[in-house]
Amino acid sequence: MEQFYPVIAQCPLFDMVNRDEYQNLMTCINASIRHYNSDDYVILAGSQIAFVGIVLSGAVEIIKENPAGARLIMDVLGPGHIFGEGIVCTKARIAPVSVRVKAASQILVIPFERIIKTCGKSCGFHFQLIQNMMMLLGEKNFRMNVKIELLMLKGMREKLATYLLDQASQNNSHSFDIVLNRNELAEYLNVSRTSMSRELSRMKDEGLLDYYQNSFRILDREGLTACLMR
């Protein structure tokens, strides 16, 4: 597990925890690594779960599926990202979404009870984990509100501008890569892929942005922001 310590350090759950304590920490919280292939499900909607997962390698999709099989991508998570924390904090702990492996992944699995309860050894890092978990739940709520706002937008350009500006903000750069391919981005925005591709092409022609495959560069931030005011 030691080879994944740099990735684990990126996860907000372990903020303010000294890396020298990781070995004792992982033992104390009974953390284990599970291996998944592409298209495997880590969590199925409707199932009861009692753990949180942290992506160590690869990527997973958080998806919502209806009985007809149509799906909506809620999020895509890469190394260092955590999932399941909002589910295990509910009374029933029933997953409203599925977590599917997008690319072969290794997942760090931690029983939730080991995070929110201190052990008999009075390990100092337990209190930090509890504090970090509270912060994560707040962040999760904020990101969910952002997603809801995105889905409420009616215009294609509004949705694209909102998403790309948010990605630029998260990366603290006008140039960034996204983890979604075109089909996945269309599903995430809940729009037609063909229409989305046409709109991206128009925005490129107008000098608002440039892109190649999954790499984007915002050329006119003010112009892109103005798209939100139409």
Side-chain angles (χ1 to χ4, degrees):
M1 187 180 294
E2 189 172 349
Q3 71 268 28
F4 291 115
Y5 283 179
V7 179
I8 291 171
Q10 297 174 26
C11 180
L13 180 62
F14 302 109
D15 282 352
M16 306 300 292
V17 177
N18 194 310
R19 195 176 297 192
D20 294 337
E21 296 183 290
Y22 279 5
Q23 185 173 357
N24 290 335
L25 168 63
M26 295 303 155
T27 300
C28 193
I29 62 178
N30 197 27
S32 61
I33 297 176
R34 296 181 186 175
H35 303 263
Y36 294 91
N37 296 319
S38 180
D39 295 329
D40 284 350
Y41 280 84
V42 183
I43 295 174
L44 279 172
S47 61
Q48 187 176 54
I49 68 169
F51 67 88
V52 298
I54 298 169
V55 183
L56 298 178
S57 66
V60 301
E61 297 174 328
I62 312 299
I63 58 177
K64 184 78 172 178
E65 296 176 301
N66 66 22
R71 68 173 191 168
L72 175 66
I73 297 178
M74 304 298 293
D75 210 347
V76 177
L77 308 178
H81 285 83
I82 187 171
F83 60 86
E85 72 278 20
I87 302 171
V88 292
C89 284
T90 63
K91 184 176 182 179
R93 297 182 179 179
I94 302 298
V97 295
S98 296
V99 179
R100 193 178 72 171
V101 176
K102 174 178 168 63
S105 303
Q106 295 182 81
I107 308 294
L108 185 69
V109 175
I110 307 171
F112 182 61
E113 296 294 332
R114 293 297 188 99
I115 296 176
I116 61 171
K117 295 181 179 178
T118 58
C119 68
K121 300 177 183 177
S122 299
C123 301
F125 46 70
H126 280 294
F127 296 102
Q128 188 62 54
L129 289 182
I130 295 171
Q131 183 176 342
N132 291 346
M133 178 59 73
M134 295 295 293
M135 186 69 69
L136 276 167
L137 291 173
E139 290 290 337
K140 175 73 73 174
N141 185 60
F142 174 79
R143 297 302 304 169
M144 185 58 65
N145 284 330
V146 170
K147 174 67 173 178
I148 292 172
E149 290 175 5
L150 184 63
L151 292 175
M152 288 177 64
L153 295 173
K154 295 182 179 179
M156 178 75 72
R157 184 166 292 207
E158 286 179 285
K159 290 189 176 189
L160 285 168
T162 299
Y163 175 77
L164 293 172
L165 287 169
D166 180 59
Q167 290 295 305
S169 177
Q170 288 188 46
N171 287 276
N172 197 29
S173 173
H174 285 174
S175 298
F176 51 88
D177 293 336
I178 65 173
V179 295
L180 303 173
N181 61 35
R182 290 293 184 272
N183 284 330
E184 292 165 341
L185 180 58
E187 289 181 8
Y188 182 79
L189 299 177
N190 198 27
V191 297
S192 159
R193 182 192 187 284
T194 303
S195 299
M196 182 193 73
S197 295
R198 276 200 302 264
E199 192 61 40
L200 279 173
S201 182
R202 291 192 193 101
M203 295 167 78
K204 182 176 182 178
D205 290 342
E206 293 173 21
L208 295 173
L209 52 84
D210 194 13
Y211 60 86
Y212 177 72
Q213 295 181 347
N214 287 20
S215 297
F216 285 81
R217 182 159 61 99
I218 294 176
L219 303 177
D220 183 358
R221 187 179 183 89
E222 289 185 3
L224 202 59
T225 302
C227 297
L228 308 180
M229 304 175 185
R230 295 185 176 183

